[in-house]
């Protein structure tokens, strides 16, 4: 055995070991019922990238109908109304300095009736959730960490207790970018009861998914409220998936976050900017040990198609869009479309609904990076049932170049059949190496068998 052969074998063994650790840790993370909530990376649509704070019930119903028709057949089943649905005057990507949120008598945010008319009379999101469920979709909402400042100002009672908002609010714990809330001091009597009350309300509405913001940063300061949200969800008996936002969630807290949430952001807001996309490679690599059933590091929503209140289309080039989808697929990030579905064009729809690519995201295992050269990225994964191997090749440079990896570095003995998943066609059989000439910021995704 030559030194080079030995080195390659050790590298392949190391990658296999890394993948095994990832699968084992993820399996251990799944508490009773947790894997049922998110056995695969969640897929869906979220209103932030296209509607900012402004979505209305009419827009939501129209979008949900399109989603059910065009994306649900491919697995996109979570429809989420993002931030400020409780604010009557929300109007853009900025936040009003002195918001006047709609609340009930117990300091719990409720949908603003001027924007969501079906919520009037105390119905909340129940009518909209029912309509979304009737389409075959799950219904999700965005919420902020803590208790409304308006509830604290009015010192409203906490449901089912003798305590009031001022008894549990931590007025020193505030979000740096959103003025709506104070933190909740979980050492105080009534604190857990407040979280129990809001998640009981969401469960009564029929909410299936909660994206909880201002949670993951700074992580340790907010960990008690992360645990409180999880405990409150469990108390409802209703299967609500919990997604923590924004990042960057610290990797060193992977063991904690996987216990209390099904998704967590690994970065701050992700938009259609190449530098942001390139930075996600390293983050997704670092989160490899914590990826698996019920436990999904989230690289954020897909800013594709029409964005930003209809003002523009994505700035990603077609090659960068394919790189985005390839990376999210091979790293098994949740696939949450952010673009305005009312303007969904054929190329974007094709990008989102390639069934062979989606299978990589939804049904592969042992997903791991390989470090072979500067300026390129390579990932591999095992196909469902061990029947084949997926390989993703990325050119992160500014010039076209060949990107490849030896079969022995993947632990494979040639020859292998190669299928190009984006092109949907078979390529020439390979005996020693899989490679491709890729454009700048381009990617390829292949199945070896």
């Amino acid at each position: 055995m030559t030194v080079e052969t030995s080195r390659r074998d050790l590298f392949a063994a190391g990658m296999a070991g890394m993948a095994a650790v990832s699968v084992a840790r993820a399996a251990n993370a799944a508490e009773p019922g947790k894997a049922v909530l998110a056995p695969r990376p969640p897929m869906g649509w979220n209103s932030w990238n296209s509607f900012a704070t402004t979505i209305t019930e009419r827009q939501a119903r129209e979008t949900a109908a399109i989603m059910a028709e065009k994306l649900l057949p491919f697995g996109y089943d979570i429809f989420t109304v993002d931030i400020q649905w409780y604010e009557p005057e929300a109007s853009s990507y900025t936040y009003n300095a002195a918001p006047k949120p709609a609340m009930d008598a117990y300091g719990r945010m409720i949908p603003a009736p001027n924007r969501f008319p079906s919520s009037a009379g105390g119905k909340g999101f129940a009518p909209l959730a029912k309509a979304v469920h009737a389409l075959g979709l799950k219904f999700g909402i965005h919420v902020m960490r803590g208790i409304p400042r308006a509830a604290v100002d009015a010192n409203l009672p906490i449901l089912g207790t003798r305590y009031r908002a001022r008894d549990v609010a931590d007025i020193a714990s505030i979000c740096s970018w959103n003025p709506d809330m104070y933190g909740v001091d979980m050492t105080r009597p009534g604190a857990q009861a407040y979280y129990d009350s809001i998640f009981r309300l969401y469960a009564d509405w029929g909410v299936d998914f909660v994206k909880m913001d201002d949670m993951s940063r700074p992580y340790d300061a907010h960990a008690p409220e992360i645990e409180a949200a999880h405990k409150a969800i469990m108390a409802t008996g209703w299967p609500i998936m919990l997604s923590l936002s924004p990042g960057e969630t610290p990797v060193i807290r992977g063991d904690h976050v996987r216990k209390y949430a099904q998704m967590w952001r690994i970065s701050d807001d992700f938009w259609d900017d190449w530098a942001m996309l390139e930075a996600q490679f390293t983050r997704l690599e670092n989160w490899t040990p914590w990826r698996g059933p019920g436990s999904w590091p989230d690289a954020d929503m897909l800013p594709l198609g029409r964005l930003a209140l209809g003002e523009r289309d994505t700035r990603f080039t077609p090659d960068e869009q394919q790189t985005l989808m390839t990376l999210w697929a091979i790293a098994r990030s949740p696939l949450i479309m952010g673009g305005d579905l009312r303007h969904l064009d054929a190329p974007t729809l094709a990008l989102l609904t390639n069934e062979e690519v989606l299978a990589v995201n939804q049904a592969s295992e042992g997903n791991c990076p390989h470090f072979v050269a500067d300026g390129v990225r390579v990932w591999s994964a095992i196909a469902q049932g061990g029947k084949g191997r997926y390989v993703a090749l990325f050119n992160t440079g500014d010039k076209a170049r060949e990107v490849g990896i030896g079969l022995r570095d993947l632990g494979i003995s040639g020859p292998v059949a190669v299928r190009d998943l984006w092109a949907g066609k078979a390529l020439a059989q390979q005996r020693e190496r899989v490679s491709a000439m890729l454009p700048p910021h381009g990617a390829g995704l292949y199945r070896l068998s």
Side-chain angles (χ1 to χ4, degrees), residues 152-195:
V152 176
D153 291 342
N155 203 23
L156 296 177
I158 295 171
L159 181 66
T161 78
R162 60 185 177 87
Y163 301 105
R164 290 182 172 269
R166 290 178 193 165
D167 295 324
V168 304
D170 180 356
I171 62 173
S173 177
I174 58 175
C175 177
S176 63
W177 46 268
N178 182 286
D180 297 348
M181 315 291 277
Y182 290 125
V184 174
D185 184 342
M186 296 311 303
T187 68
R188 297 182 185 178
Q192 184 62 51
Y194 177 75
Y195 270 114

Short mmCIF file of all heavy atoms in Angstrom, two decimals, residues 152-195:
data_model
loop_
_atom_site.label_atom_id
_atom_site.label_comp_id
_atom_site.label_asym_id
_atom_site.label_seq_id
_atom_site.Cartn_x
_atom_site.Cartn_y
_atom_site.Cartn_z
N VAL A 152 -47.30 44.70 29.04
CA VAL A 152 -46.62 45.11 30.27
C VAL A 152 -47.06 46.52 30.67
O VAL A 152 -47.33 46.80 31.85
CB VAL A 152 -45.10 45.02 30.11
CG1 VAL A 152 -44.38 45.53 31.35
CG2 VAL A 152 -44.68 43.58 29.80
N ASP A 153 -47.16 47.41 29.70
CA ASP A 153 -47.62 48.76 29.99
C ASP A 153 -49.01 48.75 30.64
O ASP A 153 -49.28 49.52 31.57
CB ASP A 153 -47.65 49.60 28.71
CG ASP A 153 -46.26 49.89 28.17
OD1 ASP A 153 -45.29 49.75 28.94
OD2 ASP A 153 -46.15 50.25 26.98
N ALA A 154 -49.88 47.87 30.13
CA ALA A 154 -51.24 47.77 30.67
C ALA A 154 -51.32 46.82 31.86
O ALA A 154 -52.38 46.73 32.49
CB ALA A 154 -52.19 47.31 29.57
N ASN A 155 -50.22 46.12 32.13
CA ASN A 155 -50.15 45.14 33.22
C ASN A 155 -51.31 44.16 33.17
O ASN A 155 -52.01 43.93 34.16
CB ASN A 155 -50.09 45.83 34.59
CG ASN A 155 -49.45 44.92 35.64
OD1 ASN A 155 -48.71 44.00 35.33
ND2 ASN A 155 -49.75 45.19 36.90
N LEU A 156 -51.48 43.54 32.01
CA LEU A 156 -52.58 42.61 31.80
C LEU A 156 -52.35 41.31 32.57
O LEU A 156 -51.22 40.91 32.83
CB LEU A 156 -52.73 42.31 30.31
CG LEU A 156 -53.13 43.50 29.43
CD1 LEU A 156 -53.17 43.09 27.97
CD2 LEU A 156 -54.47 44.07 29.88
N PRO A 157 -53.45 40.64 32.94
CA PRO A 157 -53.31 39.39 33.69
C PRO A 157 -52.80 38.25 32.82
O PRO A 157 -53.00 38.25 31.59
CB PRO A 157 -54.74 39.11 34.17
CG PRO A 157 -55.61 39.79 33.16
CD PRO A 157 -54.86 41.03 32.75
N ILE A 158 -52.15 37.29 33.44
CA ILE A 158 -51.71 36.06 32.76
C ILE A 158 -52.78 35.00 32.98
O ILE A 158 -53.18 34.74 34.12
CB ILE A 158 -50.34 35.60 33.29
CG1 ILE A 158 -49.28 36.65 32.94
CG2 ILE A 158 -49.97 34.24 32.73
CD1 ILE A 158 -47.93 36.40 33.59
N LEU A 159 -53.23 34.42 31.91
CA LEU A 159 -54.35 33.49 31.94
C LEU A 159 -54.15 32.38 32.97
O LEU A 159 -53.10 31.75 33.02
CB LEU A 159 -54.54 32.87 30.54
CG LEU A 159 -55.69 31.88 30.40
CD1 LEU A 159 -57.04 32.58 30.58
CD2 LEU A 159 -55.63 31.20 29.02
N GLY A 160 -55.17 32.18 33.81
CA GLY A 160 -55.16 31.07 34.75
C GLY A 160 -54.30 31.26 35.98
O GLY A 160 -54.07 30.29 36.72
N THR A 161 -53.80 32.48 36.18
CA THR A 161 -52.92 32.73 37.33
C THR A 161 -53.34 34.02 38.03
O THR A 161 -54.18 34.77 37.54
CB THR A 161 -51.44 32.87 36.90
OG1 THR A 161 -51.24 34.18 36.33
CG2 THR A 161 -51.05 31.81 35.88
N ARG A 162 -52.70 34.27 39.18
CA ARG A 162 -52.91 35.55 39.87
C ARG A 162 -51.84 36.56 39.48
O ARG A 162 -51.78 37.66 40.05
CB ARG A 162 -52.89 35.32 41.38
CG ARG A 162 -51.59 34.75 41.93
CD ARG A 162 -51.72 34.45 43.42
NE ARG A 162 -50.52 33.83 43.97
CZ ARG A 162 -49.48 34.51 44.43
NH1 ARG A 162 -49.48 35.83 44.38
NH2 ARG A 162 -48.44 33.87 44.94
N TYR A 163 -50.99 36.19 38.51
CA TYR A 163 -49.88 37.06 38.12
C TYR A 163 -50.26 37.92 36.93
O TYR A 163 -51.20 37.64 36.18
CB TYR A 163 -48.65 36.21 37.79
CG TYR A 163 -48.21 35.35 38.94
CD1 TYR A 163 -48.46 33.98 38.95
CD2 TYR A 163 -47.56 35.91 40.04
CE1 TYR A 163 -48.08 33.19 40.03
CE2 TYR A 163 -47.17 35.13 41.12
CZ TYR A 163 -47.44 33.77 41.11
OH TYR A 163 -47.08 32.99 42.18
N ARG A 164 -49.47 38.99 36.78
CA ARG A 164 -49.69 39.92 35.69
C ARG A 164 -48.40 40.09 34.88
O ARG A 164 -47.33 39.61 35.27
CB ARG A 164 -50.18 41.26 36.22
CG ARG A 164 -51.60 41.17 36.78
CD ARG A 164 -52.14 42.50 37.27
NE ARG A 164 -53.56 42.37 37.59
CZ ARG A 164 -54.56 42.60 36.74
NH1 ARG A 164 -54.28 43.00 35.50
NH2 ARG A 164 -55.81 42.45 37.11
N ALA A 165 -48.54 40.79 33.75
CA ALA A 165 -47.43 40.90 32.81
C ALA A 165 -46.17 41.46 33.47
O ALA A 165 -45.06 41.00 33.20
CB ALA A 165 -47.84 41.76 31.61
N ARG A 166 -46.33 42.47 34.34
CA ARG A 166 -45.15 43.06 34.96
C ARG A 166 -44.45 42.10 35.92
O ARG A 166 -43.26 42.28 36.22
CB ARG A 166 -45.54 44.35 35.70
CG ARG A 166 -45.93 45.49 34.78
CD ARG A 166 -46.35 46.72 35.56
NE ARG A 166 -47.01 47.70 34.69
CZ ARG A 166 -47.72 48.73 35.14
NH1 ARG A 166 -47.87 48.91 36.45
NH2 ARG A 166 -48.28 49.56 34.28
N ASP A 167 -45.16 41.09 36.37
CA ASP A 167 -44.56 40.13 37.29
C ASP A 167 -43.55 39.22 36.58
O ASP A 167 -42.65 38.67 37.23
CB ASP A 167 -45.64 39.24 37.93
CG ASP A 167 -46.59 40.04 38.82
OD1 ASP A 167 -46.11 40.98 39.48
OD2 ASP A 167 -47.79 39.71 38.84
N VAL A 168 -43.69 39.05 35.28
CA VAL A 168 -42.82 38.10 34.57
C VAL A 168 -41.91 38.77 33.55
O VAL A 168 -40.94 38.15 33.09
CB VAL A 168 -43.65 37.00 33.87
CG1 VAL A 168 -44.54 36.28 34.87
CG2 VAL A 168 -44.48 37.56 32.72
N ALA A 169 -42.18 40.00 33.19
CA ALA A 169 -41.39 40.67 32.14
C ALA A 169 -39.99 41.00 32.64
O ALA A 169 -39.80 41.43 33.77
CB ALA A 169 -42.09 41.93 31.69
N ASP A 170 -39.03 40.79 31.76
CA ASP A 170 -37.65 41.23 32.00
C ASP A 170 -37.42 42.43 31.09
O ASP A 170 -37.08 42.27 29.91
CB ASP A 170 -36.68 40.09 31.68
CG ASP A 170 -35.22 40.47 31.90
OD1 ASP A 170 -34.96 41.64 32.23
OD2 ASP A 170 -34.36 39.58 31.71
N ILE A 171 -37.60 43.62 31.62
CA ILE A 171 -37.56 44.82 30.77
C ILE A 171 -36.15 45.15 30.31
O ILE A 171 -35.97 46.02 29.46
CB ILE A 171 -38.19 46.02 31.48
CG1 ILE A 171 -37.43 46.37 32.76
CG2 ILE A 171 -39.67 45.76 31.76
CD1 ILE A 171 -37.91 47.66 33.40
N ALA A 172 -35.15 44.44 30.85
CA ALA A 172 -33.78 44.62 30.36
C ALA A 172 -33.47 43.70 29.19
O ALA A 172 -32.44 43.85 28.53
CB ALA A 172 -32.79 44.36 31.49
N SER A 173 -34.35 42.76 28.92
CA SER A 173 -34.16 41.81 27.82
C SER A 173 -35.01 42.25 26.65
O SER A 173 -36.22 41.97 26.60
CB SER A 173 -34.54 40.40 28.27
OG SER A 173 -34.42 39.49 27.19
N ILE A 174 -34.38 42.94 25.72
CA ILE A 174 -35.12 43.49 24.57
C ILE A 174 -34.42 43.10 23.28
O ILE A 174 -33.21 42.93 23.23
CB ILE A 174 -35.26 45.02 24.66
CG1 ILE A 174 -33.89 45.69 24.74
CG2 ILE A 174 -36.12 45.40 25.87
CD1 ILE A 174 -33.95 47.21 24.72
N CYS A 175 -35.20 42.98 22.24
CA CYS A 175 -34.67 42.70 20.91
C CYS A 175 -34.06 43.97 20.34
O CYS A 175 -34.65 45.05 20.44
CB CYS A 175 -35.80 42.19 20.02
SG CYS A 175 -35.32 41.88 18.31
N SER A 176 -32.89 43.85 19.73
CA SER A 176 -32.19 45.02 19.21
C SER A 176 -32.81 45.58 17.95
O SER A 176 -32.56 46.74 17.59
CB SER A 176 -30.72 44.67 18.95
OG SER A 176 -30.62 43.67 17.94
N TRP A 177 -33.66 44.80 17.27
CA TRP A 177 -34.16 45.25 15.98
C TRP A 177 -35.69 45.30 15.88
O TRP A 177 -36.23 45.76 14.88
CB TRP A 177 -33.62 44.35 14.86
CG TRP A 177 -33.72 42.88 15.14
CD1 TRP A 177 -32.78 42.08 15.71
CD2 TRP A 177 -34.83 42.03 14.86
NE1 TRP A 177 -33.23 40.79 15.82
CE2 TRP A 177 -34.49 40.73 15.30
CE3 TRP A 177 -36.09 42.23 14.29
CZ2 TRP A 177 -35.35 39.64 15.19
CZ3 TRP A 177 -36.95 41.15 14.17
CH2 TRP A 177 -36.58 39.87 14.62
N ASN A 178 -36.39 44.83 16.90
CA ASN A 178 -37.84 44.85 16.87
C ASN A 178 -38.35 45.38 18.22
O ASN A 178 -37.95 44.88 19.26
CB ASN A 178 -38.39 43.45 16.60
CG ASN A 178 -39.91 43.43 16.51
OD1 ASN A 178 -40.59 43.54 17.52
ND2 ASN A 178 -40.43 43.26 15.31
N PRO A 179 -39.24 46.37 18.21
CA PRO A 179 -39.63 47.04 19.45
C PRO A 179 -40.85 46.45 20.16
O PRO A 179 -41.36 47.05 21.11
CB PRO A 179 -39.96 48.46 18.97
CG PRO A 179 -40.55 48.23 17.61
CD PRO A 179 -39.78 47.08 17.02
N ASP A 180 -41.30 45.29 19.74
CA ASP A 180 -42.60 44.81 20.20
C ASP A 180 -42.60 44.21 21.61
O ASP A 180 -43.61 44.28 22.31
CB ASP A 180 -43.13 43.75 19.24
CG ASP A 180 -43.38 44.28 17.85
OD1 ASP A 180 -43.35 45.51 17.67
OD2 ASP A 180 -43.59 43.46 16.93
N MET A 181 -41.48 43.59 22.02
CA MET A 181 -41.54 42.69 23.17
C MET A 181 -40.48 42.99 24.24
O MET A 181 -39.43 43.57 23.95
CB MET A 181 -41.31 41.24 22.70
CG MET A 181 -42.08 40.83 21.46
SD MET A 181 -43.85 40.70 21.68
CE MET A 181 -43.99 39.06 22.37
N TYR A 182 -40.77 42.53 25.45
CA TYR A 182 -39.78 42.32 26.49
C TYR A 182 -39.57 40.81 26.63
O TYR A 182 -40.47 40.02 26.34
CB TYR A 182 -40.26 42.86 27.84
CG TYR A 182 -40.35 44.35 27.95
CD1 TYR A 182 -41.53 44.97 28.34
CD2 TYR A 182 -39.23 45.16 27.70
CE1 TYR A 182 -41.62 46.35 28.47
CE2 TYR A 182 -39.32 46.56 27.83
CZ TYR A 182 -40.51 47.14 28.20
OH TYR A 182 -40.58 48.50 28.32
N GLY A 183 -38.39 40.43 27.12
CA GLY A 183 -38.17 39.04 27.44
C GLY A 183 -39.01 38.62 28.64
O GLY A 183 -39.59 39.45 29.35
N VAL A 184 -39.08 37.32 28.86
CA VAL A 184 -39.75 36.76 30.03
C VAL A 184 -38.68 36.18 30.95
O VAL A 184 -37.85 35.38 30.51
CB VAL A 184 -40.78 35.69 29.63
CG1 VAL A 184 -41.37 35.01 30.87
CG2 VAL A 184 -41.89 36.31 28.78
N ASP A 185 -38.70 36.58 32.20
CA ASP A 185 -37.76 36.07 33.20
C ASP A 185 -38.29 34.74 33.71
O ASP A 185 -39.24 34.71 34.51
CB ASP A 185 -37.62 37.07 34.34
CG ASP A 185 -36.58 36.65 35.38
OD1 ASP A 185 -36.21 35.46 35.41
OD2 ASP A 185 -36.15 37.53 36.16
N MET A 186 -37.66 33.65 33.27
CA MET A 186 -38.19 32.33 33.57
C MET A 186 -37.97 31.90 35.02
O MET A 186 -38.42 30.84 35.42
CB MET A 186 -37.60 31.30 32.60
CG MET A 186 -37.97 31.52 31.14
SD MET A 186 -39.76 31.77 30.85
CE MET A 186 -40.44 30.26 31.56
N THR A 187 -37.30 32.71 35.82
CA THR A 187 -37.15 32.40 37.24
C THR A 187 -38.34 32.89 38.05
O THR A 187 -38.45 32.56 39.24
CB THR A 187 -35.87 33.03 37.81
OG1 THR A 187 -36.00 34.46 37.84
CG2 THR A 187 -34.65 32.64 37.00
N ARG A 188 -39.24 33.65 37.43
CA ARG A 188 -40.34 34.26 38.18
C ARG A 188 -41.61 33.42 38.11
O ARG A 188 -41.91 32.82 37.07
CB ARG A 188 -40.63 35.66 37.64
CG ARG A 188 -39.48 36.63 37.80
CD ARG A 188 -39.86 38.00 37.28
NE ARG A 188 -38.74 38.93 37.32
CZ ARG A 188 -38.80 40.19 36.87
NH1 ARG A 188 -39.94 40.65 36.36
NH2 ARG A 188 -37.75 40.98 36.93
N PRO A 189 -42.38 33.39 39.18
CA PRO A 189 -43.68 32.70 39.16
C PRO A 189 -44.57 33.30 38.07
O PRO A 189 -44.62 34.52 37.91
CB PRO A 189 -44.25 32.96 40.56
CG PRO A 189 -43.07 33.27 41.41
CD PRO A 189 -42.09 33.97 40.52
N GLY A 190 -45.24 32.47 37.34
CA GLY A 190 -46.12 32.92 36.27
C GLY A 190 -45.47 32.96 34.91
O GLY A 190 -46.17 33.08 33.89
N ALA A 191 -44.14 32.86 34.87
CA ALA A 191 -43.44 32.95 33.58
C ALA A 191 -43.80 31.80 32.66
O ALA A 191 -44.16 32.01 31.49
CB ALA A 191 -41.94 33.02 33.81
N GLN A 192 -43.70 30.56 33.16
CA GLN A 192 -44.05 29.42 32.31
C GLN A 192 -45.53 29.45 31.95
O GLN A 192 -45.91 29.08 30.84
CB GLN A 192 -43.71 28.11 33.02
CG GLN A 192 -43.95 26.87 32.16
CD GLN A 192 -43.08 26.84 30.90
OE1 GLN A 192 -41.87 27.00 30.98
NE2 GLN A 192 -43.70 26.63 29.74
N ALA A 193 -46.35 29.91 32.88
CA ALA A 193 -47.79 30.00 32.60
C ALA A 193 -48.06 30.92 31.43
O ALA A 193 -48.99 30.68 30.65
CB ALA A 193 -48.54 30.47 33.85
N TYR A 194 -47.27 32.00 31.29
CA TYR A 194 -47.49 32.88 30.16
C TYR A 194 -47.18 32.15 28.85
O TYR A 194 -47.98 32.19 27.89
CB TYR A 194 -46.64 34.16 30.24
CG TYR A 194 -46.85 35.01 29.01
CD1 TYR A 194 -48.02 35.74 28.85
CD2 TYR A 194 -45.93 35.00 27.95
CE1 TYR A 194 -48.27 36.47 27.70
CE2 TYR A 194 -46.18 35.72 26.80
CZ TYR A 194 -47.34 36.45 26.69
OH TYR A 194 -47.59 37.16 25.52
N TYR A 195 -46.03 31.47 28.79
CA TYR A 195 -45.72 30.72 27.57
C TYR A 195 -46.74 29.62 27.32
O TYR A 195 -47.14 29.37 26.17
CB TYR A 195 -44.29 30.17 27.63
CG TYR A 195 -43.28 31.13 27.06
CD1 TYR A 195 -42.31 31.73 27.86
CD2 TYR A 195 -43.30 31.48 25.72
CE1 TYR A 195 -41.39 32.63 27.33
CE2 TYR A 195 -42.39 32.37 25.17
CZ TYR A 195 -41.44 32.95 25.99
OH TYR A 195 -40.55 33.85 25.46
#
